[in-house]
Amino acid sequence: MTTTTTDRPMLALLMRLAGIAGFAVMAAFIKLASDSGIHLAELIFWRQFTSLPILLVWAMLAGGLGTLKTQRPGAHAMRAGYGIVGMILNFGGVILLPLAEATTFGFTGPLFATILSVVILRETVGVWRWSAVLAGFAGVVIIAQPGGGNIPLFGAGVALGGAFMIALISIQIRDLSRTDRPTTIVFWFSMATVLLTLPIMPFVHEPLSSHQWLLLLGIGLAGTWGQVLITMALRFGEVSSVIVMDYSSLIWATLLGWLIFSTLPTTATWFGAPLVIAAGIIITWRERVLRKQRFAAQVQAAGT
């Protein structure tokens, strides 16, 4: 059965804001768990495994397990493939970098989305968006300071790769949301990830302490909260509209980095981050303007 998409922009913004807060908390737990000695593959496995019972209960309360059925297994398989690569890169960025810097590099998603729109969709991008892309990557260079900074370049590359995958995944989730429920999308991604990482577990798993199990539980709960809410946000609002809420994660990352890890963003980050954030906001604003112009043109053409 096909579900319709109802645009509710304010609800979408609030959902995205709450979802981003959940992901910020998850990132802090990931860094703590990695510091305690848990392997990256095991972090990904338990992150997704923990979410499965939550999603099953959610589905039963929302109308039964039949709500998890999908008519688009191929699209879900592609989303799972992109999602697993994205998880590896984004988890890796959090592990390799301070929270604030990993978060800031994640803001380059809109920049990559603009480039992808040219390469894949053959869209025409004007001076506004190209200027924003250049300014955003200038901010990345300022933060990373290649050859002379305190930020490991490998970690920066991993985080940027994660942002690239987020750009791909956001577009794909928006498409899936036109036919499938948010819980359906998240459930099949979680299931695919668990099945693909399960064979690796015997090679990386070691006995865990109660503290480590609590960290894994926190990762699963916070991650499920964040994933469901940002998926629901894409059901009720356009990607270009809700993605602006992602910048709130820098506030959370800075606060959690200071409270938990006693780290604050570097001076270079304070200078570079505004460029990256401004670039994303400009791209978002310009896409909204162009969408309104296209809609107005369609209405005018229909009336002639």
Side-chain angles (χ1 to χ4, degrees), residues 7 57 63 144 186-187 244 289:
D7 286 333
V57 172
V186 178
F187 174 80
V244 70
V289 170

Side-chain angles (χ1 to χ4, degrees), residues 157-178:
V158 170
L160 289 171
F164 176 82
M165 294 308 301
I166 287 176
L168 282 177
I169 293 165
S170 293
I171 296 170
Q172 195 174 27
I173 289 176
R174 176 66 176 175
D175 175 59
L176 277 169
S177 295
R178 299 182 187 278

Side-chain angles (χ1 to χ4, degrees), residues 23-173:
F23 276 146
V25 173
M26 181 188 72
F29 281 133
I30 288 171
K31 199 166 187 66
L32 287 169
S34 177
D35 290 347
S36 75
I38 303 177
H39 193 277
L40 174 60
E42 187 163 9
L43 288 175
I44 293 174
F45 173 84
W46 288 113
R47 153 70 184 91
Q48 298 295 69
F49 183 84
T50 305
S51 69
L52 286 176
I54 300 172
L55 293 167
L56 288 171
V57 172
W58 192 326
M60 286 188 289
L61 294 175
L65 294 180
T67 59
L68 298 177
K69 291 181 180 179
T70 179
Q71 301 298 320
R72 304 177 63 188
H76 281 281
M78 183 177 296
R79 185 266 182 274
Y82 288 161
I84 291 170
V85 174
M87 284 188 72
I88 293 171
L89 293 173
N90 283 293
F91 277 37
V94 168
I95 291 169
L96 295 169
L97 297 172
L99 283 179
E101 280 71 18
T103 300
T104 303
F105 286 133
F107 293 156
T108 57
L111 313 185
F112 287 117
T114 300
I115 296 172
L116 287 172
S117 70
V118 175
V119 176
I120 298 176
L121 303 178
R122 305 297 181 185
E123 291 184 1
T124 300
V125 174
V127 65
W128 275 100
R129 285 186 286 175
W130 277 129
S131 299
V133 169
L134 292 175
F137 282 118
V140 169
V141 173
I142 291 173
I143 297 169
Q145 301 180 71
N150 297 319
I151 303 299
L153 293 184
F154 178 71
V158 170
L160 289 171
F164 176 82
M165 294 308 301
I166 287 176
L168 282 177
I169 293 165
S170 293
I171 296 170
Q172 195 174 27
I173 289 176

